Amino acid sequence: MPSIAEQIANELNVKTSQIISAITLLDGGATVPFIARYRKEVTQGLDDNHLRHLDQRLNYLRELTDRRQVILTSIEQQDKLTPELTRQINQADNKTRLEDLYLPYRPKRRTKGKIAIEAGIEPLANQLFNNWQLVPEIEAKAFINAEAGFTDVKAVLDGACFILAERFVEDANLLQKLRRHILKQAHLTSKLIKGKEKEAAKFRDYFEHSELLKTVPSHRLLAMLRGRNEGVLNINVDVDPQQESKSVSSAEALIMEHLTLRLTGQAAAEFLTKVVRTTWKVKLSLSLETELLGNLREQAEIEAIKVFASNLGDLLMAAPAGAKTTLGLDPGMRMGCKIAVVDATGKLLHTATIFPHAPQNHWDKSVRTLINVCQQFKVELIAIGNGTGSRESDKLAAEVIQHFETAKPRKMIVSEAGASVYSASEFAANEFPDLDVSIRGAVSIARRLQDPLAELVKIDPKAIGVGQYQHDVSQSQLSLTLDNVVEDCVNAVGVDLNSASAPLLARVSGLNKTMAQNIVTYRDQQGRFFDRKELKKVPRLGPKAFEQAAGFLRIRDGKNPLDKSGVHPETYPVVEKIIAQLKSDISSLLGDSDKLKQLDVEALVETLSNKEFGAVTIQDIVTELEKPGRDPRPEFKTATFKEGINTIADLKAGMILEGVISNVANFGAFVDIGVHQDGLVHISSLTNKFVSDPREIVKAGEIVKVKVVEVDVARKRISLTMRLDDVSTENQVNEKSQSANNGSNPDKKAKAKTSTKHVANKNKKTNRSKDSGNAAMGNAFADAFAKLKK
């Protein structure tokens, strides 16, 4: 049996020695970001993706190993452990296989088969199974046991049947074959529960739906399961969708083949056929179907969590506008617009409420207020939340900017997803105890324009709203995965030790909430940090935490210029040797690529006493010295929403607009085009090329150009395309709409596919989803997504 390290190494296609080194570091308390960044020499270059997979699999395989040992001990105590069984248990590479092997030896409740064994009927069961020529009714007479409740031949044969059936369901190899068989040919079907038409309107694509189980996409499976949970859909696994008329199902035939039962009219054939049918229909069909559906749901959840994690990573790593004085404007109608001005560091300077919109309509007064505020605080950026009234507020900001001849502020609309969660959070209450909740939202909107990462880490990642069926997945696994994403993003960018909030510091490698708060408290009491070594004075921040965190914490204008870089303090002696070899000083060396290129890395490695730091580490140091404290995030850009397009009613088919990708799902991408309702670009409309994953083309936060294909004002649905050369006539729109509502009628499906291909681009191969209802399903998800954002 391969070791855990060997298994993971094979999965990642790396050396076992690399995995062993990484496991040693993880067990020693090192974090994934720290190992990926500062222990490349030790792991021979494993990146954070390798390490995240390793960390996850390591826990699973260790649990598997512990469970394997418990099972071996249990069977051994029963004196039933054979060399062959030991071999099979040791070779089991997953928990399902392990539990299958343990099934015959697991302590059981008193079943019908066990009761029959206690009544002495097992010899009859063995005889009938081994000799098909025996007449069951004749042989059964000798086993009648009235005291045990087996008073006649029928009762005896039923007992023998259950003995054999219960024996067969404990055959691990048979179970494995049946799972493969079901997954290969079974269909997943969903049907509307009678009388639930109105409640199930959003699930209409699944009223009469059937497709191959193994090919059901994760988002469709989760949609159907949600329908079942809401009590409007019935879901079943149909093992023989095309063989209903046959007397023996394919699963029963497989059981007979596995047991080498070649029944051709022998005396015991009818009895043994009944045994096989009992094995399948009574004992296995429901449990295996439930198990497989559960496994598929688990895989769908993993995929949904992966989608959420990918979107969250893109959003967190969005370009920051930078350290500029910013006015945050949280739009509102009846209750007014809340404004908050923060300085370049995010410190709150001023708050106010204006009422430019109906019913007050104090437009001119609001313009004057904003002009005065912008002049007083030298506002450089105006961040407008994208909620109700955002386009009207955008127009207000545009009028304000026109009054400035020089030093004009720049305006942009910012996603306010999760701002209300932050506003009502304990952290916000502690930071601004005297501020109204709505004003806190304006502060958050301003800060998230300055630095999305620094602000969004204050919010539960699940509240940011960039997921796919996020409420239908394992919440513990979702939280763990999203926390890992946040941790990776924060450490990839680095954190300013003298300005970072406690929530941001808590995401730094090696730190926790207590340490983060202690850093902020120490900073408030003692003043700013001038040296990374001062961190050691922070209460409860020990040597291990310092080792893990120091490289990710930046100090600008400190005593040591290296403290503003990603160079770890443990390698400062290496930098001193670099300085000595190049006959320079650190201040002039920072940013001097030409000078650093003269470094003789091999000669330097020979002089190092610490062999953990070799050529790879030195090259990383050089890269950091060339661009100290470099931000890996892209250049800041903003989308320009089209003037006069403020609501969904303003949209017309054929319009070309600029927008921002707000969310990416498996079936396409949602785009904010400034009308308070995100539009859907189906996966087939992202590009003219075949696309298997929308994230190959777009990511959350990206600015794109889209064309309006269809607008349904009543249902608040917008269909968009990024293939701007597509023709969008009313007839083609209608054809596409028809194809999305054709249900499962094969003839209608064929026509729908033909029209869809015509809309896409004549003979070019497209990647339309296999079921014609997928576009409509996407719209159903759009409704859910809209509710989630609210």
Side-chain angles (χ1 to χ4, degrees), residues 64 66-67 110 225 250 347 351 366 407 413 618 705 717:
L64 185 67
D66 292 342
R67 180 59 178 161
R110 201 157 173 262
L225 290 173
S250 60
K347 180 182 177 181
T351 66
S366 299
I413 293 179
I618 293 172
K705 281 190 178 295
R717 292 181 178 177

Side-chain angles (χ1 to χ4, degrees), residues 3-6 8-9 12 14-32 34-36 38-47 50-51 54-55 58 62 544 548 611-612:
S3 67
I4 288 177
E6 288 173 328
I8 298 175
L12 294 175
V14 297
K15 298 176 184 176
T16 302
S17 59
Q18 292 175 273
I19 300 300
I20 292 173
S21 299
I23 290 174
T24 302
L25 288 168
L26 288 169
D27 287 345
T31 67
V32 167
F34 176 79
I35 299 170
Y38 298 114
R39 289 297 179 265
K40 292 179 182 177
E41 216 81 48
V42 179
T43 66
Q44 302 171 58
L46 293 182
D47 62 25
H50 286 132
L51 293 165
L54 185 157
D55 193 26
L58 181 62
R62 281 178 168 170
K544 189 68 179 180
Q548 299 295 305
K611 297 307 176 185
E612 278 189 357

